[in-house]
Amino acid sequence: MNPSRPALATPPRYAPADEAQSALYARVTWRLIPLLFLCYVAAYLDRVNVGFAKLQMLQDLHFSETVYGLGAGIFFIGYFIFEVPSNIILHKVGARLWIVRVMITWAVISACMMFTKTPTVFYILRFLLGLAEAGLFPGVILYLTYWYPSERRGKIIALFMTGIPISGVIGGPLSGWILHSMGGVSGLAGWQWLFLIEAIPSFVLGVVVILMLDRGIEQAKWLTDDEKRTLIANVAADASGTTSHSFKDGFTRPMVWALCVIYLFFIMGLYGVSFWLPTLIKGSGVKDPLTIGLLTTLPYAAAAISMIVVGRSSDARRERRWHVAVPGLIGTAGWVVAVAAGSSNVTLAMIGLTVATMGVMTTLCQFWCLPTAILAGAAAATGVAVVNSFGNLAGFVSPYVIGWIIDKTHSTDLGVYTLAACLTIGGLLVLALPKRLVNR
């Protein structure tokens, strides 16, 4: 049995308005979320900084858009292969040790990206990076279910997942500055410095995790015994409302596979933003890498605010489906506006890209309230990993297809319309889910 979920008699579910418990959960949040948030910022930065490196890397190495798209996407093949095994191991050995393993290995591999010379080396390193990072995101989502009942997860998952847009807020200007200023220093190109410098935070945070992160509630020395009992009782009461608890349930429940398909469509939209936002901004008429980096902060900053606001609304109303679907449809409208504006109106194009980024990011963070509402225990360990790994195959498909479309049409328009269509389909499929199962 997982140490964070001891066997207890099922107590009455807590009242969310209880001030003492709200204060207790605030302490838990301040203890856990800042560190996990920083880890995810570092992880996401190392995953997608290739989008900025592309601005110089392709010309230096004579790579085509298709080669770049395949290299950017092949990350997710390695991610897919090791995702479920990684989450099962985390469930058995604990979050602290496994997250450290994840972060140290991906930091080393990310730094090695600076040695890329040929498409083959590019593909191999991106594949290995996917293997190394597999398990961090679903592992953290699983870890949060050990601490928070479903009523509180909308806001908490949103806070954690703001690491995606914040990595853009931080990484955009940083990456732009590195490309702008570091080229030629010690004989290295700007894109080589980018991979090296941005790998360092991941390594440092891996060391911090081993010192700061508790395996579960019972091991938290900063909680009193009464506080531990309260937290454990709330999680146990919440888990009693789910019907799927075994490893097998995480693989075999039809709802899990329905969520896989929905998530795949949403991930198409996410990696359109992550891998192509610098290119789309450049296509709108902005040329300087530093300026592009600064402009990427606008969509990401707006998305971070949107994620938190919608997360609070989702928890307060105990409603999940519309809080997932509506932001996705709004994101679709943003993509269409961005394409319509093109290079003729940079301001309108940026507004469209900002709205699209807000919609995509908000939809994704609210999506993760769905699988954790129907799965618990070992089923959550496997089910969350299955959904994340299957859905992230779109991370392979999306950049490769868009790169191929750009090479063939010499335009990003058709690729962006494809992303918009995927967000629309995903949003409509969410509304088809049974309300009684997911609105928890």
Side-chain angles (χ1 to χ4, degrees):
M1 179 175 293
N2 189 281
S4 62
R5 286 187 171 171
L8 292 173
T10 301
R13 182 166 292 183
Y14 70 89
D18 185 282
E19 292 185 5
Q21 292 206 25
S22 294
L24 173 57
Y25 278 106
R27 282 186 60 212
V28 172
T29 298
W30 277 108
R31 175 75 183 199
L32 301 182
I33 298 303
L35 177 56
L36 294 173
F37 167 84
L38 289 174
C39 290
Y40 198 42
V41 169
Y44 208 80
L45 182 61
D46 286 344
R47 183 189 303 186
V48 303
N49 59 8
V50 69
F52 269 98
K54 170 183 181 286
L55 298 175
Q56 295 179 353
M57 189 179 182
L58 266 61
Q59 181 176 354
D60 288 355
L61 301 180
H62 307 292
F63 288 176
S64 68
E65 294 283 353
T66 304
V67 167
Y68 165 74
L70 179 58
I74 207 169
F75 168 97
F76 297 97
I77 301 299
Y79 197 85
F80 174 80
I81 291 171
F82 201 51
E83 186 84 325
V84 174
S86 180
N87 230 35
I88 292 174
I89 295 170
L90 181 144
H91 185 65
K92 291 182 177 295
V93 306
R96 181 171 62 173
L97 291 177
W98 198 243
I99 289 176
V100 169
R101 192 285 306 164
V102 169
M103 297 192 69
I104 297 296
T105 53
W106 100 53
V108 172
I109 294 169
S110 183
C112 287
M113 287 288 296
M114 66 184 292
F115 300 116
T116 299
K117 296 295 182 184
T118 67
T120 300
V121 173
F122 183 43
Y123 299 153
I124 290 172
L125 288 173
R126 288 290 296 176
F127 176 80
L128 292 176
L129 189 64
L131 281 180
E133 194 189 318
L136 178 72
F137 177 78
V140 171
I141 296 298
L142 176 64
Y143 181 69
L144 293 177
T145 68
Y146 298 161
W147 292 83
Y148 297 92
S150 58
E151 292 94 330
R152 294 184 181 271
R153 285 184 208 143
K155 180 181 71 174
I156 294 304
I157 292 174
L159 286 172
F160 167 64
M161 288 190 66
T162 53
I164 298 178
I166 294 303
S167 72
V169 172
I170 297 171
L174 175 62
S175 298
W177 176 81
I178 293 171
L179 294 178
H180 182 84
S181 305
M182 296 295 289
V185 176
S186 299
L188 298 177
W191 62 267
Q192 291 176 299
W193 278 112
L194 179 120
F195 286 126
L196 177 61
I197 292 172
E198 293 185 356
I200 294 172
S202 298
F203 191 92
V204 173
L205 284 167
V207 176
V208 175
V209 166
I210 197 68
L211 300 174
M212 295 290 295
L213 197 66
D214 299 297
R215 181 172 180 179
I217 295 171
E218 288 193 328
Q219 290 73 37
K221 296 179 180 179
W222 45 277
L223 293 171
T224 67
D225 289 342
D226 285 344
E227 289 171 336
K228 291 178 183 180
R229 281 191 289 270
T230 297
L231 294 173
I232 291 170
N234 289 341
V235 172
D238 184 67
S240 69
T242 65
T243 58
S244 299
H245 293 265
S246 70
F247 281 120
K248 181 182 177 182
D249 288 333
F251 289 104
T252 58
R253 283 203 62 179
M255 181 66 76
V256 172
W257 292 101
L259 293 173
C260 286
V261 174
I262 293 169
Y263 193 53
L264 187 144
F265 282 112
F266 288 151
I267 287 290
M268 287 287 288
L270 171 65
Y271 288 110
V273 173
S274 301
F275 289 128
W276 296 99
L277 184 58
T279 300
L280 294 171
I281 292 176
K282 184 177 181 179
S284 71
V286 181
K287 301 303 180 184
D288 180 65
L290 181 57
T291 304
I292 293 172
L294 292 172
L295 286 176
T296 60
T297 65
L298 300 177
Y300 285 126
I305 297 170
S306 171
M307 291 164 71
I308 293 171
V309 170
V310 175
R312 289 180 181 274
S313 171
S314 178
D315 279 351
R317 289 170 173 77
R318 299 286 293 279
E319 196 291 320
R320 306 302 185 187
R321 297 184 308 159
W322 288 100
H323 283 81
V324 176
V326 170
L329 298 175
I330 292 173
T332 295
W335 282 128
V336 172
V337 169
V339 171
S343 59
S344 61
N345 190 328
V346 175
T347 300
L348 186 59
M350 282 302 305
I351 292 173
L353 289 172
T354 299
V355 171
T357 305
M358 292 170 67
V360 170
M361 299 292 181
T362 304
T363 289
L364 279 171
C365 77
Q366 287 307 299
F367 170 87
W368 283 106
C369 295
L370 307 182
T372 57
I374 64 172
L375 301 169
T382 53
V384 168
V386 166
V387 171
N388 194 56
S389 61
F390 185 86
N392 269 288
L393 286 177
F396 170 74
V397 175
S398 178
Y400 179 70
V401 168
I402 294 176
W404 180 82
I405 290 173
I406 291 174
D407 277 341
K408 294 298 181 182
T409 65
H410 304 290
S411 171
T412 59
D413 291 3
L414 184 57
V416 174
Y417 283 134
T418 301
L419 301 178
C422 289
L423 281 176
T424 301
I425 294 170
L428 295 176
L429 289 175
V430 166
L431 295 178
L433 296 175
K435 178 180 178 180
R436 62 181 176 81
L437 289 180
V438 298
N439 283 354
R440 297 180 64 230

